Amino acid sequence: MSALGSTAADTTVDTAGDTAGDTASLDRADALAATLEHRFSCRGFLPEPVRPDTLRRLFTLAQRTPSWCNSQAWQVHLLSGEDVVALSERLTERVLSGAEQPDIPGPERYEGVYAERRRTCGRGLYDAVGVAREDSEGRLRQMLENFQFFGAPHVAIVTSPQALGTYGVMDCGGYVANLLNLADALGLGAIAQGAIGMYADAVRAHLDLPEDRWVVCAVALGHADPDHPANRFRTEREDVDVAVTGLPDPT
């Protein structure tokens, strides 16, 4: 996405793909489709850390994310092990002691179909982990799992320059989406966590971030726990013809 035209990185041509023709393009699309269909938001991790070479490959590939004027707004702080525990403890204490203080305002409200999708998602998650609607303590406990990063051994904190405003945040969103899909392709579990951005003051203090950087979100990373009940939960997607106006009929 460039307002002023393509950059050198944008205009690099995959000549191998061109010479291979449509078949190679379809193979790449099928590989991406497999990742998109398999990926899920992991809410239960095994404690074992990810191999350093795998982490390096993950973040190196994510760096290819396109951005507005190739500004590459994202700056990432990757925390591991005891650093994750320390941030978790600070965030949990902060969440229980005061109101939210985000750099980027959250949604004003959820209405109509957006509210229904949110309710459906919440009900599905709580049903999966066995928390009843009237179980306020259970719901609080599950909510706090967000700030304990669901037991993940690694957490990436994504920030953006305040001066880039909405466009910087949008580019960070593209980066996070790529990070999530790449994690799945590499056999890892991951989840984007906007909730962490709601307590940007605590994150900023922990990482000693300058005031002119917005805390966008976190991404928890690791190996998914296949036996964790939360990892059996899946969300649905709207039909493409509802989401996209003017899509041609394939026939």
Side-chain angles (χ1 to χ4, degrees), residues 87-129:
L87 178 57
S88 171
E89 291 175 349
R90 182 190 286 262
L91 277 170
T92 300
E93 180 180 355
R94 173 66 181 81
V95 170
L96 294 173
S97 65
E100 295 177 351
Q101 192 174 327
D103 291 332
I104 305 163
E108 291 183 10
R109 57 190 173 275
Y110 291 87
E111 297 178 327
V113 66
Y114 309 110
E116 181 55 34
R117 290 170 184 163
R118 183 171 184 253
R119 284 192 296 268
T120 300
C121 180
R123 285 195 298 265
L125 173 60
Y126 286 123
D127 286 347
V129 296

mmCIF file of all heavy atoms in Angstrom, residues 87-129:
data_model
loop_
_atom_site.group_PDB
_atom_site.id
_atom_site.type_symbol
_atom_site.label_atom_id
_atom_site.label_comp_id
_atom_site.label_asym_id
_atom_site.label_seq_id
_atom_site.Cartn_x
_atom_site.Cartn_y
_atom_site.Cartn_z
ATOM 1 N N LEU A 87 6.125 -8.871 32.940
ATOM 2 C CA LEU A 87 5.111 -8.001 32.337
ATOM 3 C C LEU A 87 3.718 -8.474 32.713
ATOM 4 O O LEU A 87 2.828 -7.653 32.987
ATOM 5 C CB LEU A 87 5.266 -7.977 30.812
ATOM 6 C CG LEU A 87 4.223 -7.146 30.055
ATOM 7 C CD1 LEU A 87 4.205 -5.701 30.538
ATOM 8 C CD2 LEU A 87 4.471 -7.208 28.544
ATOM 9 N N SER A 88 3.516 -9.774 32.759
ATOM 10 C CA SER A 88 2.223 -10.320 33.147
ATOM 11 C C SER A 88 1.831 -9.878 34.554
ATOM 12 O O SER A 88 0.686 -9.471 34.798
ATOM 13 C CB SER A 88 2.264 -11.847 33.065
ATOM 14 O OG SER A 88 1.095 -12.412 33.628
ATOM 15 N N GLU A 89 2.771 -9.949 35.459
ATOM 16 C CA GLU A 89 2.489 -9.545 36.839
ATOM 17 C C GLU A 89 2.152 -8.059 36.921
ATOM 18 O O GLU A 89 1.214 -7.658 37.627
ATOM 19 C CB GLU A 89 3.690 -9.873 37.721
ATOM 20 C CG GLU A 89 3.895 -11.376 37.915
ATOM 21 C CD GLU A 89 5.160 -11.698 38.684
ATOM 22 O OE1 GLU A 89 5.988 -10.761 38.894
ATOM 23 O OE2 GLU A 89 5.337 -12.869 39.077
ATOM 24 N N ARG A 90 2.884 -7.238 36.187
ATOM 25 C CA ARG A 90 2.616 -5.795 36.191
ATOM 26 C C ARG A 90 1.233 -5.504 35.603
ATOM 27 O O ARG A 90 0.472 -4.692 36.150
ATOM 28 C CB ARG A 90 3.686 -5.055 35.397
ATOM 29 C CG ARG A 90 3.506 -3.527 35.391
ATOM 30 C CD ARG A 90 4.442 -2.860 34.412
ATOM 31 N NE ARG A 90 5.806 -2.832 34.855
ATOM 32 C CZ ARG A 90 6.394 -1.777 35.448
ATOM 33 N NH1 ARG A 90 5.691 -0.673 35.677
ATOM 34 N NH2 ARG A 90 7.654 -1.821 35.798
ATOM 35 N N LEU A 91 0.906 -6.164 34.489
ATOM 36 C CA LEU A 91 -0.376 -5.925 33.839
ATOM 37 C C LEU A 91 -1.540 -6.397 34.704
ATOM 38 O O LEU A 91 -2.561 -5.706 34.812
ATOM 39 C CB LEU A 91 -0.414 -6.627 32.482
ATOM 40 C CG LEU A 91 0.218 -5.884 31.311
ATOM 41 C CD1 LEU A 91 0.332 -6.794 30.100
ATOM 42 C CD2 LEU A 91 -0.591 -4.636 30.961
ATOM 43 N N THR A 92 -1.408 -7.565 35.311
ATOM 44 C CA THR A 92 -2.490 -8.092 36.141
ATOM 45 C C THR A 92 -2.779 -7.154 37.302
ATOM 46 O O THR A 92 -3.943 -6.846 37.607
ATOM 47 C CB THR A 92 -2.129 -9.491 36.661
ATOM 48 O OG1 THR A 92 -1.918 -10.376 35.550
ATOM 49 C CG2 THR A 92 -3.254 -10.054 37.531
ATOM 50 N N GLU A 93 -1.723 -6.671 37.948
ATOM 51 C CA GLU A 93 -1.896 -5.717 39.039
ATOM 52 C C GLU A 93 -2.554 -4.434 38.538
ATOM 53 O O GLU A 93 -3.453 -3.884 39.195
ATOM 54 C CB GLU A 93 -0.537 -5.404 39.667
ATOM 55 C CG GLU A 93 -0.612 -4.420 40.819
ATOM 56 C CD GLU A 93 0.745 -4.131 41.425
ATOM 57 O OE1 GLU A 93 1.735 -4.768 41.004
ATOM 58 O OE2 GLU A 93 0.821 -3.246 42.309
ATOM 59 N N ARG A 94 -2.138 -3.985 37.360
ATOM 60 C CA ARG A 94 -2.692 -2.751 36.794
ATOM 61 C C ARG A 94 -4.165 -2.910 36.448
ATOM 62 O O ARG A 94 -4.987 -2.015 36.719
ATOM 63 C CB ARG A 94 -1.873 -2.383 35.548
ATOM 64 C CG ARG A 94 -2.420 -1.231 34.741
ATOM 65 C CD ARG A 94 -2.376 0.081 35.500
ATOM 66 N NE ARG A 94 -2.937 1.144 34.685
ATOM 67 C CZ ARG A 94 -4.239 1.383 34.546
ATOM 68 N NH1 ARG A 94 -5.123 0.639 35.201
ATOM 69 N NH2 ARG A 94 -4.661 2.360 33.782
ATOM 70 N N VAL A 95 -4.537 -4.030 35.859
ATOM 71 C CA VAL A 95 -5.926 -4.274 35.455
ATOM 72 C C VAL A 95 -6.848 -4.280 36.672
ATOM 73 O O VAL A 95 -7.976 -3.751 36.624
ATOM 74 C CB VAL A 95 -6.040 -5.607 34.694
ATOM 75 C CG1 VAL A 95 -7.492 -6.002 34.491
ATOM 76 C CG2 VAL A 95 -5.328 -5.513 33.351
ATOM 77 N N LEU A 96 -6.385 -4.835 37.759
ATOM 78 C CA LEU A 96 -7.213 -4.966 38.959
ATOM 79 C C LEU A 96 -7.259 -3.688 39.799
ATOM 80 O O LEU A 96 -8.042 -3.597 40.740
ATOM 81 C CB LEU A 96 -6.694 -6.121 39.824
ATOM 82 C CG LEU A 96 -6.822 -7.520 39.203
ATOM 83 C CD1 LEU A 96 -6.134 -8.551 40.073
ATOM 84 C CD2 LEU A 96 -8.292 -7.885 38.990
ATOM 85 N N SER A 97 -6.430 -2.698 39.425
ATOM 86 C CA SER A 97 -6.316 -1.529 40.288
ATOM 87 C C SER A 97 -6.865 -0.242 39.697
ATOM 88 O O SER A 97 -6.982 0.756 40.415
ATOM 89 C CB SER A 97 -4.846 -1.304 40.657
ATOM 90 O OG SER A 97 -4.087 -0.972 39.504
ATOM 91 N N GLY A 98 -7.205 -0.234 38.398
ATOM 92 C CA GLY A 98 -7.650 1.033 37.840
ATOM 93 C C GLY A 98 -8.247 0.928 36.464
ATOM 94 O O GLY A 98 -8.294 -0.152 35.861
ATOM 95 N N ALA A 99 -8.720 2.073 35.963
ATOM 96 C CA ALA A 99 -9.396 2.128 34.667
ATOM 97 C C ALA A 99 -8.399 1.985 33.517
ATOM 98 O O ALA A 99 -7.197 2.186 33.672
ATOM 99 C CB ALA A 99 -10.147 3.452 34.537
ATOM 100 N N GLU A 100 -8.930 1.654 32.366
ATOM 101 C CA GLU A 100 -8.108 1.526 31.160
ATOM 102 C C GLU A 100 -7.460 2.868 30.808
ATOM 103 O O GLU A 100 -8.007 3.934 31.094
ATOM 104 C CB GLU A 100 -8.972 1.061 29.985
ATOM 105 C CG GLU A 100 -9.548 -0.329 30.169
ATOM 106 C CD GLU A 100 -10.456 -0.732 29.019
ATOM 107 O OE1 GLU A 100 -10.769 0.147 28.170
ATOM 108 O OE2 GLU A 100 -10.858 -1.903 28.963
ATOM 109 N N GLN A 101 -6.299 2.790 30.179
ATOM 110 C CA GLN A 101 -5.610 3.995 29.719
ATOM 111 C C GLN A 101 -4.915 3.674 28.399
ATOM 112 O O GLN A 101 -3.695 3.573 28.322
ATOM 113 C CB GLN A 101 -4.601 4.488 30.755
ATOM 114 C CG GLN A 101 -4.065 5.883 30.457
ATOM 115 C CD GLN A 101 -3.189 6.404 31.581
ATOM 116 O OE1 GLN A 101 -3.414 6.093 32.746
ATOM 117 N NE2 GLN A 101 -2.187 7.196 31.238
ATOM 118 N N PRO A 102 -5.701 3.519 27.317
ATOM 119 C CA PRO A 102 -5.106 3.154 26.025
ATOM 120 C C PRO A 102 -4.503 4.354 25.311
ATOM 121 O O PRO A 102 -4.887 5.501 25.555
ATOM 122 C CB PRO A 102 -6.308 2.615 25.251
ATOM 123 C CG PRO A 102 -7.466 3.409 25.782
ATOM 124 C CD PRO A 102 -7.164 3.620 27.249
ATOM 125 N N ASP A 103 -3.570 4.072 24.411
ATOM 126 C CA ASP A 103 -3.090 5.096 23.493
ATOM 127 C C ASP A 103 -4.070 5.264 22.337
ATOM 128 O O ASP A 103 -4.270 6.363 21.833
ATOM 129 C CB ASP A 103 -1.726 4.698 22.919
ATOM 130 C CG ASP A 103 -0.620 4.730 23.954
ATOM 131 O OD1 ASP A 103 -0.731 5.506 24.918
ATOM 132 O OD2 ASP A 103 0.359 3.968 23.804
ATOM 133 N N ILE A 104 -4.658 4.151 21.913
ATOM 134 C CA ILE A 104 -5.588 4.131 20.787
ATOM 135 C C ILE A 104 -6.970 3.787 21.340
ATOM 136 O O ILE A 104 -7.150 2.712 21.908
ATOM 137 C CB ILE A 104 -5.163 3.086 19.746
ATOM 138 C CG1 ILE A 104 -3.715 3.344 19.312
ATOM 139 C CG2 ILE A 104 -6.101 3.082 18.550
ATOM 140 C CD1 ILE A 104 -3.076 2.171 18.619
ATOM 141 N N PRO A 105 -7.948 4.662 21.213
ATOM 142 C CA PRO A 105 -9.269 4.377 21.791
ATOM 143 C C PRO A 105 -9.850 3.075 21.257
ATOM 144 O O PRO A 105 -9.712 2.749 20.072
ATOM 145 C CB PRO A 105 -10.122 5.577 21.351
ATOM 146 C CG PRO A 105 -9.127 6.659 21.052
ATOM 147 C CD PRO A 105 -7.908 5.966 20.527
ATOM 148 N N GLY A 106 -10.497 2.327 22.151
ATOM 149 C CA GLY A 106 -11.186 1.120 21.734
ATOM 150 C C GLY A 106 -12.502 1.462 21.050
ATOM 151 O O GLY A 106 -12.858 2.646 20.901
ATOM 152 N N PRO A 107 -13.252 0.448 20.618
ATOM 153 C CA PRO A 107 -14.543 0.696 19.971
ATOM 154 C C PRO A 107 -15.479 1.490 20.885
ATOM 155 O O PRO A 107 -15.551 1.238 22.088
ATOM 156 C CB PRO A 107 -15.086 -0.717 19.718
ATOM 157 C CG PRO A 107 -13.874 -1.585 19.687
ATOM 158 C CD PRO A 107 -12.927 -0.990 20.673
ATOM 159 N N GLU A 108 -16.221 2.435 20.300
ATOM 160 C CA GLU A 108 -17.196 3.190 21.083
ATOM 161 C C GLU A 108 -18.310 2.276 21.577
ATOM 162 O O GLU A 108 -18.789 2.390 22.705
ATOM 163 C CB GLU A 108 -17.788 4.324 20.241
ATOM 164 C CG GLU A 108 -16.809 5.436 19.914
ATOM 165 C CD GLU A 108 -17.477 6.557 19.133
ATOM 166 O OE1 GLU A 108 -18.722 6.558 19.017
ATOM 167 O OE2 GLU A 108 -16.753 7.443 18.643
ATOM 168 N N ARG A 109 -18.747 1.367 20.716
ATOM 169 C CA ARG A 109 -19.807 0.429 21.062
ATOM 170 C C ARG A 109 -19.915 -0.612 19.949
ATOM 171 O O ARG A 109 -19.441 -0.402 18.839
ATOM 172 C CB ARG A 109 -21.162 1.137 21.221
ATOM 173 C CG ARG A 109 -21.598 1.908 19.992
ATOM 174 C CD ARG A 109 -22.799 2.790 20.273
ATOM 175 N NE ARG A 109 -23.111 3.650 19.131
ATOM 176 C CZ ARG A 109 -22.535 4.820 18.909
ATOM 177 N NH1 ARG A 109 -21.617 5.260 19.754
ATOM 178 N NH2 ARG A 109 -22.865 5.551 17.859
ATOM 179 N N TYR A 110 -20.518 -1.727 20.288
ATOM 180 C CA TYR A 110 -20.827 -2.771 19.313
ATOM 181 C C TYR A 110 -22.338 -2.758 19.090
ATOM 182 O O TYR A 110 -23.103 -2.848 20.056
ATOM 183 C CB TYR A 110 -20.391 -4.144 19.822
ATOM 184 C CG TYR A 110 -18.898 -4.322 19.892
ATOM 185 C CD1 TYR A 110 -18.184 -3.925 21.026
ATOM 186 C CD2 TYR A 110 -18.188 -4.907 18.841
ATOM 187 C CE1 TYR A 110 -16.814 -4.097 21.102
ATOM 188 C CE2 TYR A 110 -16.816 -5.087 18.913
ATOM 189 C CZ TYR A 110 -16.137 -4.682 20.045
ATOM 190 O OH TYR A 110 -14.779 -4.851 20.119
ATOM 191 N N GLU A 111 -22.744 -2.635 17.823
ATOM 192 C CA GLU A 111 -24.167 -2.589 17.499
ATOM 193 C C GLU A 111 -24.491 -3.596 16.410
ATOM 194 O O GLU A 111 -23.628 -3.990 15.618
ATOM 195 C CB GLU A 111 -24.560 -1.188 17.019
ATOM 196 C CG GLU A 111 -24.375 -0.095 18.056
ATOM 197 C CD GLU A 111 -24.735 1.287 17.527
ATOM 198 O OE1 GLU A 111 -24.517 1.542 16.314
ATOM 199 O OE2 GLU A 111 -25.236 2.106 18.313
ATOM 200 N N GLY A 112 -25.755 -3.997 16.343
ATOM 201 C CA GLY A 112 -26.240 -4.832 15.258
ATOM 202 C C GLY A 112 -25.462 -6.119 15.104
ATOM 203 O O GLY A 112 -25.200 -6.830 16.078
ATOM 204 N N VAL A 113 -25.066 -6.422 13.878
ATOM 205 C CA VAL A 113 -24.389 -7.676 13.584
ATOM 206 C C VAL A 113 -23.042 -7.759 14.303
ATOM 207 O O VAL A 113 -22.595 -8.844 14.682
ATOM 208 C CB VAL A 113 -24.197 -7.841 12.055
ATOM 209 C CG1 VAL A 113 -23.239 -6.806 11.492
ATOM 210 C CG2 VAL A 113 -23.721 -9.246 11.712
ATOM 211 N N TYR A 114 -22.398 -6.602 14.549
ATOM 212 C CA TYR A 114 -21.109 -6.605 15.230
ATOM 213 C C TYR A 114 -21.274 -7.026 16.695
ATOM 214 O O TYR A 114 -20.444 -7.765 17.226
ATOM 215 C CB TYR A 114 -20.457 -5.228 15.131
ATOM 216 C CG TYR A 114 -20.431 -4.718 13.713
ATOM 217 C CD1 TYR A 114 -21.239 -3.655 13.310
ATOM 218 C CD2 TYR A 114 -19.632 -5.337 12.744
ATOM 219 C CE1 TYR A 114 -21.238 -3.208 12.004
ATOM 220 C CE2 TYR A 114 -19.627 -4.899 11.435
ATOM 221 C CZ TYR A 114 -20.441 -3.833 11.064
ATOM 222 O OH TYR A 114 -20.447 -3.406 9.761
ATOM 223 N N ALA A 115 -22.353 -6.564 17.311
ATOM 224 C CA ALA A 115 -22.638 -6.976 18.682
ATOM 225 C C ALA A 115 -22.967 -8.463 18.744
ATOM 226 O O ALA A 115 -22.533 -9.164 19.663
ATOM 227 C CB ALA A 115 -23.799 -6.149 19.247
ATOM 228 N N GLU A 116 -23.714 -8.953 17.763
ATOM 229 C CA GLU A 116 -24.078 -10.368 17.753
ATOM 230 C C GLU A 116 -22.844 -11.249 17.552
ATOM 231 O O GLU A 116 -22.696 -12.289 18.213
ATOM 232 C CB GLU A 116 -25.098 -10.647 16.652
ATOM 233 C CG GLU A 116 -25.547 -12.097 16.577
ATOM 234 C CD GLU A 116 -26.087 -12.621 17.888
ATOM 235 O OE1 GLU A 116 -26.718 -11.870 18.652
ATOM 236 O OE2 GLU A 116 -25.859 -13.838 18.171
ATOM 237 N N ARG A 117 -21.963 -10.850 16.655
ATOM 238 C CA ARG A 117 -20.733 -11.625 16.448
ATOM 239 C C ARG A 117 -19.896 -11.651 17.721
ATOM 240 O O ARG A 117 -19.308 -12.669 18.080
ATOM 241 C CB ARG A 117 -19.922 -11.027 15.295
ATOM 242 C CG ARG A 117 -20.559 -11.221 13.931
ATOM 243 C CD ARG A 117 -19.831 -10.401 12.880
ATOM 244 N NE ARG A 117 -20.478 -10.489 11.581
ATOM 245 C CZ ARG A 117 -20.261 -9.648 10.585
ATOM 246 N NH1 ARG A 117 -19.418 -8.638 10.737
ATOM 247 N NH2 ARG A 117 -20.885 -9.808 9.419
ATOM 248 N N ARG A 118 -19.842 -10.521 18.409
ATOM 249 C CA ARG A 118 -19.067 -10.451 19.652
ATOM 250 C C ARG A 118 -19.677 -11.366 20.712
ATOM 251 O O ARG A 118 -18.956 -12.092 21.415
ATOM 252 C CB ARG A 118 -19.045 -9.005 20.143
ATOM 253 C CG ARG A 118 -18.217 -8.770 21.399
ATOM 254 C CD ARG A 118 -18.089 -7.283 21.660
ATOM 255 N NE ARG A 118 -17.221 -7.009 22.789
ATOM 256 C CZ ARG A 118 -17.650 -6.604 23.975
ATOM 257 N NH1 ARG A 118 -18.953 -6.426 24.191
ATOM 258 N NH2 ARG A 118 -16.796 -6.350 24.947
ATOM 259 N N ARG A 119 -21.000 -11.344 20.841
ATOM 260 C CA ARG A 119 -21.661 -12.208 21.827
ATOM 261 C C ARG A 119 -21.438 -13.678 21.496
ATOM 262 O O ARG A 119 -21.177 -14.500 22.382
ATOM 263 C CB ARG A 119 -23.162 -11.899 21.873
ATOM 264 C CG ARG A 119 -23.523 -10.624 22.614
ATOM 265 C CD ARG A 119 -25.017 -10.543 22.875
ATOM 266 N NE ARG A 119 -25.770 -10.456 21.638
ATOM 267 C CZ ARG A 119 -26.121 -9.306 21.064
ATOM 268 N NH1 ARG A 119 -25.751 -8.150 21.612
ATOM 269 N NH2 ARG A 119 -26.829 -9.300 19.953
ATOM 270 N N THR A 120 -21.554 -14.016 20.217
ATOM 271 C CA THR A 120 -21.368 -15.403 19.802
ATOM 272 C C THR A 120 -19.953 -15.878 20.118
ATOM 273 O O THR A 120 -19.745 -17.004 20.590
ATOM 274 C CB THR A 120 -21.651 -15.558 18.296
ATOM 275 O OG1 THR A 120 -23.004 -15.173 18.043
ATOM 276 C CG2 THR A 120 -21.439 -16.988 17.841
ATOM 277 N N CYS A 121 -18.982 -15.024 19.857
ATOM 278 C CA CYS A 121 -17.593 -15.356 20.151
ATOM 279 C C CYS A 121 -17.392 -15.581 21.650
ATOM 280 O O CYS A 121 -16.785 -16.568 22.071
ATOM 281 C CB CYS A 121 -16.675 -14.238 19.653
ATOM 282 S SG CYS A 121 -14.922 -14.523 19.953
ATOM 283 N N GLY A 122 -17.923 -14.671 22.461
ATOM 284 C CA GLY A 122 -17.779 -14.794 23.908
ATOM 285 C C GLY A 122 -18.447 -16.041 24.454
ATOM 286 O O GLY A 122 -17.871 -16.759 25.285
ATOM 287 N N ARG A 123 -19.666 -16.313 23.983
ATOM 288 C CA ARG A 123 -20.384 -17.515 24.454
ATOM 289 C C ARG A 123 -19.613 -18.775 24.086
ATOM 290 O O ARG A 123 -19.504 -19.706 24.890
ATOM 291 C CB ARG A 123 -21.786 -17.556 23.853
ATOM 292 C CG ARG A 123 -22.763 -16.578 24.466
ATOM 293 C CD ARG A 123 -24.194 -16.935 24.085
ATOM 294 N NE ARG A 123 -24.411 -16.875 22.654
ATOM 295 C CZ ARG A 123 -24.909 -15.818 22.011
ATOM 296 N NH1 ARG A 123 -25.225 -14.718 22.706
ATOM 297 N NH2 ARG A 123 -25.098 -15.831 20.705
ATOM 298 N N GLY A 124 -19.081 -18.815 22.864
ATOM 299 C CA GLY A 124 -18.352 -19.995 22.425
ATOM 300 C C GLY A 124 -17.120 -20.250 23.271
ATOM 301 O O GLY A 124 -16.832 -21.403 23.637
ATOM 302 N N LEU A 125 -16.390 -19.190 23.592
ATOM 303 C CA LEU A 125 -15.184 -19.344 24.399
ATOM 304 C C LEU A 125 -15.537 -19.815 25.807
ATOM 305 O O LEU A 125 -14.931 -20.769 26.319
ATOM 306 C CB LEU A 125 -14.417 -18.026 24.465
ATOM 307 C CG LEU A 125 -13.224 -18.012 25.420
ATOM 308 C CD1 LEU A 125 -12.198 -19.070 25.036
ATOM 309 C CD2 LEU A 125 -12.589 -16.626 25.464
ATOM 310 N N TYR A 126 -16.496 -19.159 26.442
ATOM 311 C CA TYR A 126 -16.845 -19.537 27.819
ATOM 312 C C TYR A 126 -17.435 -20.939 27.890
ATOM 313 O O TYR A 126 -17.195 -21.683 28.847
ATOM 314 C CB TYR A 126 -17.787 -18.500 28.430
ATOM 315 C CG TYR A 126 -17.089 -17.216 28.803
ATOM 316 C CD1 TYR A 126 -17.509 -15.994 28.282
ATOM 317 C CD2 TYR A 126 -16.002 -17.224 29.664
ATOM 318 C CE1 TYR A 126 -16.856 -14.812 28.610
ATOM 319 C CE2 TYR A 126 -15.344 -16.063 29.997
ATOM 320 C CZ TYR A 126 -15.769 -14.851 29.477
ATOM 321 O OH TYR A 126 -15.116 -13.698 29.805
ATOM 322 N N ASP A 127 -18.186 -21.330 26.875
ATOM 323 C CA ASP A 127 -18.691 -22.701 26.839
ATOM 324 C C ASP A 127 -17.537 -23.696 26.741
ATOM 325 O O ASP A 127 -17.544 -24.752 27.382
ATOM 326 C CB ASP A 127 -19.639 -22.892 25.650
ATOM 327 C CG ASP A 127 -20.990 -22.223 25.858
ATOM 328 O OD1 ASP A 127 -21.277 -21.830 27.008
ATOM 329 O OD2 ASP A 127 -21.739 -22.088 24.872
ATOM 330 N N ALA A 128 -16.535 -23.359 25.933
ATOM 331 C CA ALA A 128 -15.402 -24.265 25.740
ATOM 332 C C ALA A 128 -14.617 -24.484 27.024
ATOM 333 O O ALA A 128 -14.150 -25.603 27.295
ATOM 334 C CB ALA A 128 -14.478 -23.724 24.646
ATOM 335 N N VAL A 129 -14.485 -23.440 27.837
ATOM 336 C CA VAL A 129 -13.688 -23.565 29.063
ATOM 337 C C VAL A 129 -14.557 -23.861 30.280
ATOM 338 O O VAL A 129 -14.056 -23.925 31.411
ATOM 339 C CB VAL A 129 -12.854 -22.290 29.309
ATOM 340 C CG1 VAL A 129 -11.834 -22.107 28.191
ATOM 341 C CG2 VAL A 129 -13.732 -21.050 29.450
#
